[in-house]
């Protein structure tokens, strides 16, 4: 049996878009051509790979397995072709990145704005998400996460300094309820918690005392997956919330929020841009990797010039 590699590309696109029409638009062909490719593929395989209804397109069990097997190989082939096409030329194309909502150093604006100006032919598509998943299977070129949750088979490039988390509240809440002296006191306070999705438990607040690290299972009166809402509730005096110090920096500097339990905050490895261990890295992704590394070196030099550079490894 001759294998139709084009049909596999069509199938992978339909599987990602979950729509024949969207796949056709992305591939620049007619919907009929997409349907015919899928029909030929299913005839060659002797089984259905897609489950169609009038409203949606899903994958059969065979389709799920086929997609899992071919997506990494197709990514390798695209990278090799783009490398050959882009050799000696400017990086171009769509760069898809899945980024943690708390990666403030990456999402704050200057880094991405600078990259966009340096590489105007690269279009950046960012999904801000805290759901963990296989970036290759989901069709992303790279991701940005805390280093401690990145899979070991990924290549990772630092995009932030060491991080630490803070518990914060409004001055009004502090005046009304008093300052907790130890993390165990949080059980007597109103807490605003975070979780990445409804099926996840609220995030445990992590602290350190001396060399001992521990977490506190607070009982939030408000729980959400939106850090912006957590900050707004804290500003309104609803309680104490917890998150990355960088996220709260501006509010702390303006006195709108106050840090508590700072002496129990310990530094840890920060955020990393990560991507699969491919032999051929696409020019658009290589451009971002190199830009991030230059940006980080420039940021470090700015801190040295200002006399405020912290040790790279505080521990």
């Amino acid at each position: 049996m001759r294998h139709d590699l084009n049909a596999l590309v069509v199938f992978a696109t339909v599987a990602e878009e979950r729509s024949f029409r969207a796949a056709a638009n992305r591939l620049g062909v007619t919907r009929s051509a997409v349907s015919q490719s899928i029909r030929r593929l299913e005839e060659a395989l002797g089984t259905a790979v897609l489950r169609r209804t009038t409203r949606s397109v899903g994958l059969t069990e065979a389709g799920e397995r086929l997609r899992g097997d071919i997506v990494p190989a197709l990514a390798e082939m695209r990278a090799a072709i783009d490398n050959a096409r882009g050799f000696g030329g400017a990086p171009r194309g769509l760069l898809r990145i899945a980024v943690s909502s708390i990666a403030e150093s990456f999402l704050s604006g200057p880094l991405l704005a600078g990259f966009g100006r340096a590489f105007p032919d690269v279009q950046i598509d960012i999904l801000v998400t805290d759901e963990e998943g296989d970036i290759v299977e989901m069709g992303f070129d790279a991701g940005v996460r805390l280093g401690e949750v990145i899979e070991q088979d990924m290549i990772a490039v630092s995009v932030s300094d060491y991080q630490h988390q803070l518990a914060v509240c409004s001055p009004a809440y502090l005046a009304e309820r008093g300052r907790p002296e130890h993390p165990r006191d949080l059980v007597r306070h109103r807490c605003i918690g975070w979780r990445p999705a409804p099926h996840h438990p609220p995030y445990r607040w992590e602290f350190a005392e001396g060399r001992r690290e521990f977490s506190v299972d607070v009982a939030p009166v408000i729980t959400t997956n939106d850090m912006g809402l957590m900050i707004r509730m804290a500003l309104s005096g609803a309680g104490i919330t917890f998150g990355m110090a960088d996220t709260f920096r501006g509010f702390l500097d303006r006195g709108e929020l106050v840090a508590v339990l700072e002496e129990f905050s310990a530094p840890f490895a920060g955020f990393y841009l990560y991507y699969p261990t491919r032999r051929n890295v696409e020019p658009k992704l290589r451009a971002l990797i190199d830009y991030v590394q230059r940006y980080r070196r420039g940021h470090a030099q700015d801190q040295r010039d200002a006399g405020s550079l912290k040790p790279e490894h505080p521990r």
Side-chain angles (χ1 to χ4, degrees), residues 10-304:
V10 172
F11 163 71
T13 307
V14 174
E16 183 177 337
E17 297 289 349
R18 300 300 169 108
S19 163
F20 276 51
R21 185 179 302 279
N25 290 338
R26 182 167 153 188
L27 293 168
V29 298
T30 65
R31 188 178 183 280
S32 175
V34 170
S35 297
Q36 291 175 21
S37 290
I38 296 299
R39 178 177 54 79
R40 288 196 301 270
L41 177 63
E42 290 180 327
E43 288 176 353
L45 295 174
T47 186
V49 293
L50 295 176
R51 187 181 297 110
R52 311 161 181 79
T53 69
T54 56
R55 296 183 180 180
S56 64
V57 176
L59 298 179
T60 64
E61 183 178 359
E64 289 282 4
R65 178 170 296 184
L66 178 62
R67 184 190 183 203
D69 288 341
I70 68 171
V71 165
L74 290 175
E76 288 277 2
M77 287 190 290
R78 290 193 187 103
I81 292 170
D82 284 349
N83 265 349
R85 181 185 296 127
F87 187 77
R92 64 183 67 250
L94 182 64
L95 184 61
R96 303 188 68 219
I97 313 171
V99 183
S100 169
S101 67
I102 56 175
E104 186 70 20
S105 57
F106 190 84
L107 293 172
S108 59
L111 188 156
L112 287 172
F115 176 76
R117 287 191 294 268
F119 300 97
D121 292 328
V122 177
Q123 296 81 48
I124 309 169
D125 183 355
I126 293 178
L127 175 67
V128 179
T129 177
D130 294 298
E131 288 281 4
E132 296 181 11
D134 186 334
I135 58 171
V136 174
E137 182 178 344
M138 294 188 294
F140 291 99
D141 298 288
V144 177
R145 289 282 184 273
L146 285 171
E148 62 192 37
V149 298
I150 296 175
E151 295 86 349
Q152 293 297 314
D153 61 346
M154 293 286 173
I155 298 175
V157 177
S158 174
V159 296
S160 79
D161 298 327
Y162 263 62
Q163 301 287 300
H164 66 283
Q165 298 186 98
L166 286 178
V168 301
C169 63
S170 69
Y173 178 87
L174 201 62
E176 176 189 349
R177 301 294 296 267
R179 180 184 294 271
E181 299 299 328
H182 191 278
R184 60 174 169 263
D185 298 337
L186 289 169
V187 297
R188 297 193 292 273
H189 283 266
R190 295 173 60 83
C191 294
I192 303 162
W194 178 87
R195 61 180 168 192
H199 56 278
H200 288 260
Y203 180 74
R204 293 171 65 89
W205 295 12
E206 298 175 346
F207 300 95
E209 191 169 18
R211 292 177 176 269
R212 183 177 70 92
E213 296 181 356
F214 63 97
S215 59
V216 176
D217 192 6
V218 300
V221 295
I222 301 170
T223 306
T224 179
N225 69 331
D226 184 354
M227 179 58 70
L229 176 59
M230 293 167 64
I231 292 174
R232 291 192 292 273
M233 297 305 297
L235 290 170
S236 300
I240 299 174
T241 195
F242 190 76
M244 294 293 175
D246 284 351
T247 303
F248 303 132
R249 186 64 59 205
F251 302 98
L252 293 169
D253 291 344
R254 294 189 296 270
E256 297 171 316
L257 291 175
V258 178
V260 298
L261 303 172
E262 287 182 277
E263 63 271 34
F264 298 96
S265 176
F268 55 92
F271 293 94
Y272 289 80
L273 172 73
Y274 68 99
Y275 57 97
T277 54
R278 295 175 183 158
R279 292 186 300 277
N280 299 302
V281 176
E282 297 179 66
K284 59 188 178 183
L285 178 56
R286 172 51 60 191
L288 178 63
I289 294 165
D290 293 343
Y291 186 87
V292 164
Q293 293 174 322
R294 291 195 302 271
Y295 183 89
R296 293 278 293 128
R297 288 194 296 269
H299 176 67
Q301 185 60 53
D302 289 344
Q303 288 186 310
R304 291 190 188 95

